Amino acid sequence: MSSTRNIHDRRLADAWATLKSSSDAGLPLDPDANRLAFADPEFLLRRETRGIRFQLELLKPDLEQQAHGIENTIVVFGSARFRDPEAAAELVTAAEAGGDEAVARRARALARNAHYYENARAFGRVVAEYSESKEPRDKLFVCTGGGPGIMEAANRGCFDAGGTSVGLSIALPMEEAANRYVTPALSFKFHYFALRKMHFMMRAKALVAFPGGFGTLDELFEVITLVQTRKARQVPIVLFGSDYWKRLINFEMLVDEGVISAADLDLFQFADEPEVAWNIIKTFYRL
C-alpha cells in the first residue's frame, strides 16, 4: 500500500541535510530560490507565509493527538511560578539568607501558595486513575500549558499514576522547554498564542483554573466568554481556591453594575479540594 509519508524521499533528505549542516556550523542560511519551499525557513518565516504557519500549528498537534487517541481533555491552568512545598521552602531559606527583604517576602508568598501545587498534582492523579480502566472513547486526559508551576503539578500527578497527559507549551524567553512530566509524544510547542488557545478548547471537556496571574486570567476569561456567548459548548469551569478568586474578582459587582447577568455566575463553580473539583466534572457528565 502506498504511503503519503515518504520520509525517505532523497530530495527531502538532502534539503534538511543542508539546513542541518548550516546550523551545526553556525552559519547563516543564504536565500536560495532552488531550495524546496517546504524545507526553506527563509521562505516559511516571511510575513506573507504567516497563514501557512498558522495552518501548520493547527494541524500538527491535531493529527498527533488523534493518532494517540486524545479526544477528551480536562484543561488545567494556573501560575507558572508556584513550586512544590520542598522547593518553595528552599527558596525562602535562600532568600532570607540573602538579606533582601523584598525578595524574601516574595519567596514567602510563593511558599504560602505551595499547597496549590500539591492540589493540582492530586487532581491530575485523580483524572489519570479514573481513565486507566476506561475504554478509549471514555478516557479523559489532563492538558496543560506544558510549563512549570501548576502546569507541571497537574502533568506530574498524571505521571505519578502512570497516565498520559498533554502539554501545549509556548516559546517564551522564561520557558525554553516543557516540564519533564508531559508525555513526550504529546509535548507540543507553539509560537502563536491564538493557535495554542484554539487547541486548548478543541478537545476540552472541562477547565480547572488554579490561582495565577495575567496568563491564567487571560485563558480563564477567554473560556468564560466563549461559553457565555455560545461560541463554545458549555463545559464545567472550576475556579480552584475560592478565597483567592473571590478576593481577586468581585463577580457580584459585575452583576450589580449590569455588565453581566446574574445567570452568568452559573457559568463557573468554586472548589477547594481536588475531589470536589473532580466531582463537579463527574456530576456534569454523569460519570
Side-chain angles (χ1 to χ4, degrees), residues 130-229:
Y130 166 82
S131 294
E132 182 178 8
S133 61
K134 299 298 178 184
E135 293 295 321
R137 67 178 182 276
D138 297 324
K139 289 181 182 291
L140 291 165
F141 300 93
V142 163
C143 175
T144 77
I150 293 298
M151 297 172 283
E152 174 189 289
N155 291 127
R156 185 175 181 179
C158 296
F159 181 86
D160 292 340
T164 296
S165 67
V166 182
L168 307 179
S169 60
I170 187 83
L172 297 173
M174 68 287 284
E175 293 179 25
E176 288 298 321
N179 72 70
R180 58 180 172 162
Y181 300 106
V182 177
T183 300
L186 298 168
S187 181
F188 305 102
K189 178 170 283 189
F190 290 81
H191 176 74
Y192 297 106
F193 271 106
L195 274 298
R196 181 181 183 235
K197 289 179 177 180
M198 186 173 293
H199 272 288
F200 276 131
M201 289 303 298
M202 283 171 63
R203 290 171 166 81
K205 294 298 183 287
L207 164 70
V208 182
F210 282 78
F214 290 154
T216 301
L217 292 171
D218 174 46
E219 302 289 2
L220 171 63
F221 281 105
E222 178 115 28
V223 175
I224 291 178
T225 302
L226 288 171
V227 175
Q228 180 203 41
T229 58

Side-chain angles (χ1 to χ4, degrees), residues 74-141:
I74 296 177
V75 178
V76 180
F77 294 146
S79 176
R81 304 186 183 196
F82 291 164
R83 297 292 181 265
D84 65 78
E86 182 179 346
E90 292 175 355
L91 287 175
V92 171
T93 300
E96 291 180 340
D100 188 324
E101 181 54 30
V103 173
R105 185 167 56 251
R106 177 178 175 80
R108 287 192 289 269
L110 293 176
R112 185 174 65 247
N113 288 308
H115 65 97
Y116 289 121
Y117 182 103
E118 289 300 289
N119 282 319
R121 183 177 178 182
F123 180 78
R125 185 166 54 247
V126 167
V127 176
E129 289 173 348
Y130 166 82
S131 294
E132 182 178 8
S133 61
K134 299 298 178 184
E135 293 295 321
R137 67 178 182 276
D138 297 324
K139 289 181 182 291
L140 291 165
F141 300 93

Side-chain angles (χ1 to χ4, degrees), residues 14-28:
D14 287 347
W16 286 109
T18 300
L19 300 183
K20 187 176 187 305
S21 63
S22 296
S23 175
D24 290 346
L27 300 174

Side-chain angles (χ1 to χ4, degrees), residues 40-66:
D40 188 345
E42 294 292 322
F43 171 69
L44 289 176
L45 293 176
R46 291 178 57 155
R47 177 179 179 179
E48 294 88 346
T49 58
R50 182 175 293 148
I52 297 172
R53 298 196 298 274
F54 280 8
Q55 290 178 310
L56 293 174
E57 285 211 340
L58 178 63
L59 189 60
K60 178 183 176 180
D62 188 29
L63 293 177
E64 289 302 314
Q65 288 182 85
Q66 285 183 39

